[in-house]
Amino acid sequence: MSKVEEARAILKELQVPAKQQADLCCFVLLAMANIKEQDLWLSATNEWIRIHDVIAYTKEYYGVAYAENSRETFRKQAMHHFRNAAFIEDNGKATNSPNYCYRLTDEMLSLIRNYGTESWQTVKAEFLNSHETLVSLYAFKRTMRKMPVQINGKDFTFSPGKHNELQKAIIEEFAPRFAPNSECLYVGDTTEKDLVKNVAKLQELGFAITLHDKMPDVVLYSKEKNWLYFIESVTSVGPMEPKRIKEIEEMTEGVRAGKIYVTAFLDFKTFKKFSETLAWETEVWIADMPDHMIHLNGDKFLGPRK
């Protein structure tokens, strides 16, 4: 039996759905265990690796080439299901980070090292008997890494990462200071794009929303002032540049509320990196200095302070 077939047999005996017994999923298990055609399962390891590394490993050692743009297929068909089943775990980085990695859980590693031995049936039975507990344990571990945030009086969690760290600061630090009593109409998450999306309210205000529109990272609405705050959370890309303003203007042609464009940064260093590209008539908020804002709007605020 080839190693791919052995991997499939393991997955079948672990009672995974047929779709997760496909060749792609078998290659994921082999790459993550670092098992080549002539290796014994006893030699399996569980080093941290990326999906890119799984694709490279499959091509080098099994002669099957998957395109780099198939990473999302690997994520949805294998990684997501294997993680939910506590076969693998991730390292807690943001999903869009180049350092986001997976590895076999210690329990899964211990199990597959026994495949083909006299102990297999016993070890497999123990694994399956404790499987529900394992799933809960690793789900709790993932939840503990998430950042709690309260939005519109309800509890949510953001996935770990600088982008979401800044979004949390926007909601908890920026909004009370500069958009008091405002409602969050939209905010995304790096793993759940539309964490909060009040479509009814957005449409009531005149938004023309399509599936292809790229919403600003955070949208706040002050009913008292009838102001909309469009806020981009910038850690690496996406400030309020003239082109971005134009995109939002096209999306909000029917909106009559006042529009405020804000670019938020975690620190002054990141702001300096983007300062030359920011559009005039916009605002800047830096989480490191939460009580202050930078107004890129000329004479609007020119004058002596009391």
Side-chain angles (χ1 to χ4, degrees):
M1 191 184 293
S2 71
K3 278 295 182 292
V4 172
E5 290 306 317
E6 288 180 0
R8 199 183 330 274
I10 290 173
L11 294 171
K12 186 175 181 179
E13 291 202 43
L14 292 178
Q15 303 168 11
V16 304
K19 194 171 182 180
Q20 275 65 59
Q21 297 174 32
D23 284 0
L24 180 147
C25 299
C26 295
F27 288 132
V28 167
L29 181 59
L30 291 165
M32 297 193 73
N34 191 20
I35 293 292
K36 307 175 190 67
E37 193 62 60
Q38 304 306 318
D39 292 339
L40 297 174
W41 286 97
L42 185 62
S43 67
T45 61
N46 66 340
E47 301 298 322
W48 292 107
I49 63 173
R50 302 164 298 167
I51 293 178
H52 166 80
D53 302 319
V54 171
I55 293 172
Y57 190 96
T58 302
K59 182 179 180 181
E60 182 174 356
Y61 296 109
Y62 289 93
V64 177
Y66 290 93
E68 274 296 324
N69 62 9
S70 63
R71 281 178 293 180
E72 191 60 24
T73 303
F74 274 82
R75 186 175 289 109
K76 288 181 178 178
Q77 187 173 338
M79 303 306 192
H80 177 73
H81 295 277
F82 286 0
R83 189 179 64 178
N84 285 349
F87 295 171
I88 67 174
E89 61 179 328
D90 64 59
N91 63 353
K93 302 286 186 183
T95 53
N96 57 357
S97 166
N99 298 315
Y100 185 60
C101 299
Y102 303 88
R103 71 175 178 184
L104 297 174
T105 60
D106 290 339
E107 294 81 3
M108 184 66 169
L109 177 65
S110 178
L111 172 69
I112 65 174
R113 280 178 172 173
N114 283 277
Y115 183 72
T117 71
E118 293 180 358
S119 306
W120 169 248
Q121 293 300 332
T122 302
V123 175
K124 182 189 75 173
E126 290 174 353
F127 182 87
L128 290 175
N129 285 338
S130 63
H131 188 235
E132 208 168 300
T133 303
L134 275 179
V135 169
S136 298
L137 176 68
Y138 281 97
F140 178 73
K141 186 176 177 180
R142 291 197 302 274
T143 301
M144 286 296 288
R145 288 201 302 257
K146 291 191 172 186
M147 296 178 284
V149 60
Q150 194 166 82
I151 306 172
N152 301 332
K154 297 180 181 178
D155 293 326
F156 292 86
T157 56
F158 278 138
S159 303
K162 286 188 174 182
H163 181 81
N164 282 341
E165 181 184 333
L166 180 52
Q167 291 199 141
K168 178 178 166 71
I170 291 167
I171 290 165
E172 296 182 343
E173 304 294 339
F174 170 86
R177 288 173 170 85
F178 301 104
N181 303 314
S182 61
E183 178 186 0
C184 180
L185 301 184
Y186 178 85
V187 64
D189 178 75
T190 49
T191 58
E192 187 178 343
K193 186 180 177 184
D194 300 333
L195 187 67
V196 171
K197 188 174 185 179
N198 189 337
V199 175
K201 187 65 179 179
L202 289 167
Q203 290 179 337
E204 179 188 324
L205 289 167
F207 276 70
I209 302 173
T210 73
L211 292 173
H212 304 292
D213 284 327
K214 182 183 178 298
M215 292 287 286
D217 290 320
V218 182
V219 178
L220 305 175
Y221 176 63
S222 170
K223 183 177 180 180
E224 179 186 340
K225 296 182 177 179
N226 195 28
W227 287 358
L228 276 163
Y229 299 76
F230 301 123
I231 309 168
E232 294 289 19
S233 169
V234 176
T235 54
S236 58
V237 293
M240 284 295 185
E241 301 172 318
K243 180 186 175 188
R244 185 70 181 112
I245 301 289
K246 185 173 182 294
E247 291 172 351
I248 298 173
E249 288 288 344
E250 289 171 354
M251 190 195 312
T252 60
E253 279 182 336
V255 172
R256 295 292 170 259
K259 302 172 189 177
I260 300 168
Y261 297 94
V262 183
T263 306
F265 300 98
L266 278 171
D267 50 48
F268 198 79
K269 180 180 178 181
T270 312
F271 160 65
K272 287 201 297 182
K273 178 181 174 183
F274 290 93
S275 60
E276 293 183 4
T277 66
L278 295 169
W280 291 108
E281 313 302 328
T282 66
E283 321 293 331
V284 172
W285 182 74
I286 300 171
D288 271 358
M289 313 169 201
D291 294 322
H292 303 280
M293 291 187 70
I294 299 171
H295 304 282
L296 301 175
N297 42 12
D299 64 354
K300 185 175 179 182
F301 293 97
L302 184 65
R305 293 176 64 86
K306 291 183 181 179

